[in-house]
Amino acid sequence: MQVFTEGSEYKVDGNTPSDISVVQQTQHGTRKTGANAIAALYAAIMCLDRNRRSLRQNLYNFNENTYRSIEISVLKKNLISDPKDIAVETNTGSEDAIYMFIQNGDWTGVLLN
């Protein structure tokens, strides 16, 4: 299980209250918003960074037994500006595509495929 906060991301291990451990994975932090800041996309968790300018992908690395956080909006940082909401649409009709929608604070939007 993963826990996303404004200051860090954590991994929770264990099955019972007596053996639960919480381990910090990154120090990026997730955007606090009244709507969605996190979206599941198959094996990846997409989250809006607390800096309000980037989208991060959290993937589990089995070799290191930890989560990796990768910024995927690095080439077009000007597209994401004070994001308010995030949504994902997968496998629509006959298409095998994944669409991610991000609503900015100024009511512009970003569509990722």
Side-chain angles (χ1 to χ4, degrees), residues 75-87:
L75 295 178
K76 283 294 191 178
K77 285 189 176 287
N78 62 324
L79 292 178
I80 299 174
S81 174
D82 191 25
K84 300 296 182 192
D85 203 356
I86 183 172

Side-chain angles (χ1 to χ4, degrees), residues 38-100:
I38 301 169
L41 194 61
Y42 296 110
I45 303 295
M46 312 299 281
C47 65
L48 297 169
D49 202 329
R50 72 175 167 209
N51 67 14
R52 301 178 180 186
R53 307 253 340 136
S54 63
L55 179 69
R56 302 194 74 83
Q57 176 185 40
N58 288 287
L59 284 173
Y60 188 73
N61 184 319
F62 287 95
N63 292 331
E64 297 177 10
N65 192 28
T66 189
Y67 284 91
R68 292 285 198 166
S69 181
I70 304 160
E71 183 178 349
I72 63 171
S73 60
V74 70
L75 295 178
K76 283 294 191 178
K77 285 189 176 287
N78 62 324
L79 292 178
I80 299 174
S81 174
D82 191 25
K84 300 296 182 192
D85 203 356
I86 183 172
V88 174
E89 179 67 35
T90 59
N91 299 333
T92 58
S94 61
E95 294 183 33
D96 191 24
I98 300 169
Y99 298 100
M100 178 173 292

Side-chain angles (χ1 to χ4, degrees), residues 3-18:
V3 177
F4 294 86
T5 69
E6 284 186 88
S8 296
E9 289 78 32
Y10 300 90
K11 176 177 76 166
V12 179
D13 288 327
N15 296 318
T16 65
S18 63

